[in-house]
Amino acid sequence: MVFIAFRLRKASIFEAWHYFDEQDIPLFLVRDTPWYTKHNLTCLDKNANAPEDCKEAQDVIIKDSSLMSYSEFISESATAMDVTDYFCDGEYCHYVIGNLITHFDPIHLTATFSRTFAPVFDEPILEALRKKWMMRPFSSLSIGYCTGKELS
């Protein structure tokens, strides 16, 4: 199974999906987490007693349409997951969730938040693997991570 982040160029991501589909390699597609426009730690430092004030408008942070909306390019062997709702409430995307700082800069998750967030992926990944195991022998299943550089 190959994991691909959605920040690659649209054309190159569709080429990657097509390549993996031709190779019969299942994909687990995850829409990227919010990319904030300002440095969240600066805001949290200034608002230590009111971290809820550190948020950004969702329509500014999540401004591009999800590549998952291009369903005609997504193979039936792919599983897609959008994590936007874990960070954003429909109006704002928050720097602090469950008393944990989500990002250590505008685009990267903190290690602590990542460890607590990881279980969110357990069931969707296991379900994707179960789907593929029913379709083909276990020994042919590939597990890895693609950065996009492999296609250059």
Side-chain angles (χ1 to χ4, degrees):
M1 180 171 289
V2 176
F3 299 83
I4 298 180
F6 281 156
R7 283 294 175 175
L8 297 174
R9 237 177 5 95
K10 191 182 329 181
S12 65
I13 195 75
F14 295 150
E15 291 168 10
W17 290 350
H18 180 71
Y19 171 81
F20 291 121
D21 194 42
E22 284 179 338
Q23 303 302 313
D24 197 31
I25 299 171
L27 298 173
F28 186 83
L29 307 170
V30 179
R31 180 170 187 178
D32 216 339
T33 60
W35 284 30
Y36 294 102
T37 61
K38 49 191 171 183
H39 204 286
N40 58 322
L41 295 181
T42 302
C43 180
L44 292 169
D45 185 46
K46 291 179 181 176
N47 295 286
N49 294 323
E52 63 278 1
D53 291 345
C54 295
K55 58 189 176 206
E56 291 190 48
Q58 183 171 336
D59 61 350
V60 171
I61 302 305
I62 312 289
K63 54 186 163 207
D64 57 342
S65 62
S66 168
L67 290 177
M68 288 187 280
S69 65
Y70 296 92
S71 59
E72 68 272 18
F73 294 102
I74 300 176
S75 165
E76 288 184 22
S77 67
T79 300
M81 183 174 178
D82 187 340
V83 296
T84 301
D85 291 345
Y86 290 96
F87 295 86
C88 308
D89 60 17
E91 190 172 355
Y92 293 101
C93 297
H94 303 272
Y95 296 162
V96 176
I97 298 173
N99 291 323
L100 294 174
I101 299 171
T102 62
H103 291 67
F104 67 84
D105 68 13
I107 61 174
H108 296 102
L109 297 177
T110 64
T112 302
F113 184 77
S114 293
R115 283 189 293 276
T116 64
F117 192 53
V120 167
F121 295 93
D122 289 352
E123 191 54 39
I125 289 172
L126 289 173
E127 186 58 37
L129 290 171
R130 282 186 207 107
K131 180 171 76 172
K132 293 315 295 178
W133 285 341
M134 285 191 262
M135 296 178 170
R136 62 190 203 187
F138 171 75
S139 61
S140 66
L141 189 63
S142 300
I143 299 176
Y145 178 81
C146 173
T147 63
K149 294 178 183 176
E150 293 84 347
L151 303 175
S152 301

